[in-house]
Amino acid sequence: MKPLPSRAGSFAPSYLSSFARTCAHGTVAAVACVAALSGMPAHAAEAAKPAFKPDMARAQKLAEPCAACHTADGSRGAPANPILQGQHADYLFKQLSEFKAGKRKNPIMQGMVAALSEEDMKQVAAFYASKSAKPGFAKDKTLVALGERLYRGGSLAAKVPACAGCHSPTGGGIPSQYPRLAGQHADYTEAQLTAFRGGARANSPQMSAIAAKMSEREIKAVSDYISGLR
């Protein structure tokens, strides 16, 4: 009698080939493959990824090229560039990631982040977040009342919500969701609100909708008011 062919032997090559092709489709599939091989659920394999830990010496080194526009510690440099000092790390990482992905457009910033890995961007974000923000000052006395009214109460007529609702009464913001605004350069804030209104910046549908309802004077007033928050 002839020996029966081994079913396991004939099955293994096609199974492993299919499995390998699945694993090649990306990170999510790869995590599932690891989970399948180890017998653990996919979500457990994802959770096993080491937590990010800032390395301030490395973070400072990675941030050195940024000093040309944002100063060595991200403090009060040129008004056209944002103050990064004290900004939430999660928010900074989100913006760097969106520059890299092309979701937020800026030729200079897109060039700066092109060679940075996800880990690098988290390190840079952690570096600036570790600094203590310095206070700023409003400059236009004629706009203070309007700016305060918009920031704290919004505009019922224009259906503009109060900025304080998301960015807090002191401008501290909410990590990962809403940036710290307190003390930010008025010129920079005005430029960003104008970009949201005109569509040049489109990485926040919420802000685009709000800015679209604001006049130039209202944008200028609230931007100046924000620069003096503390």
Side-chain angles (χ1 to χ4, degrees):
M1 181 181 294
K2 295 182 180 180
L4 292 172
S6 169
R7 293 182 66 188
S10 62
F11 174 71
S14 61
Y15 170 77
L16 291 175
S17 175
S18 174
F19 194 74
R21 285 197 299 272
T22 301
C23 289
H25 282 298
T27 303
V28 174
V31 168
C33 293
V34 171
L37 287 171
S38 62
M40 71 172 72
H43 64 80
E46 287 180 314
K49 185 179 178 181
F52 169 73
K53 292 183 179 180
D55 178 342
M56 283 305 157
R58 180 167 176 251
Q60 184 172 2
K61 188 70 176 176
L62 286 166
E64 283 180 358
C66 311
C69 294
H70 299 286
T71 75
D73 60 357
S75 59
R76 310 192 69 81
N81 300 321
I83 297 167
L84 303 181
Q85 196 175 57
Q87 187 58 269
H88 303 303
D90 288 346
Y91 180 78
L92 288 175
F93 172 68
K94 178 179 183 290
Q95 298 309 305
L96 291 172
S97 299
E98 291 182 351
F99 279 127
K100 188 175 178 72
K103 190 175 180 180
R104 182 174 175 184
K105 308 293 185 182
N106 182 290
I108 295 174
M109 283 304 304
Q110 286 174 286
M112 294 296 289
V113 301
L116 296 181
S117 66
E118 179 178 314
E119 170 81 9
D120 292 339
M121 291 187 287
K122 286 183 177 180
Q123 293 289 356
V124 171
F127 171 74
Y128 288 115
S130 72
K131 306 301 179 183
S132 297
K134 298 174 183 176
F137 304 92
K139 298 177 181 178
D140 194 336
K141 293 180 180 180
T142 66
L143 294 175
V144 170
L146 175 59
E148 182 177 22
R149 184 165 69 250
L150 287 167
Y151 188 86
R152 301 197 176 281
S155 171
L156 185 61
K159 296 182 179 180
V160 172
C163 309
C166 295
H167 297 282
S168 87
T170 61
I174 300 174
S176 81
Q177 293 181 307
Y178 306 110
R180 172 189 171 85
L181 298 181
Q184 186 58 266
H185 291 308
D187 289 3
Y188 177 77
T189 302
E190 182 180 350
Q192 295 311 300
L193 288 173
T194 301
F196 277 127
R197 187 179 66 171
R201 180 173 174 181
N203 68 327
S204 173
Q206 182 182 10
M207 282 307 306
S208 295
I210 292 170
K213 300 172 184 176
M214 298 176 70
S215 68
E216 289 184 14
R217 187 168 186 273
E218 288 173 330
I219 286 176
K220 186 177 288 292
V222 80
S223 298
D224 192 59
Y225 179 76
I226 284 168
S227 69
L229 280 173
R230 60 189 67 191

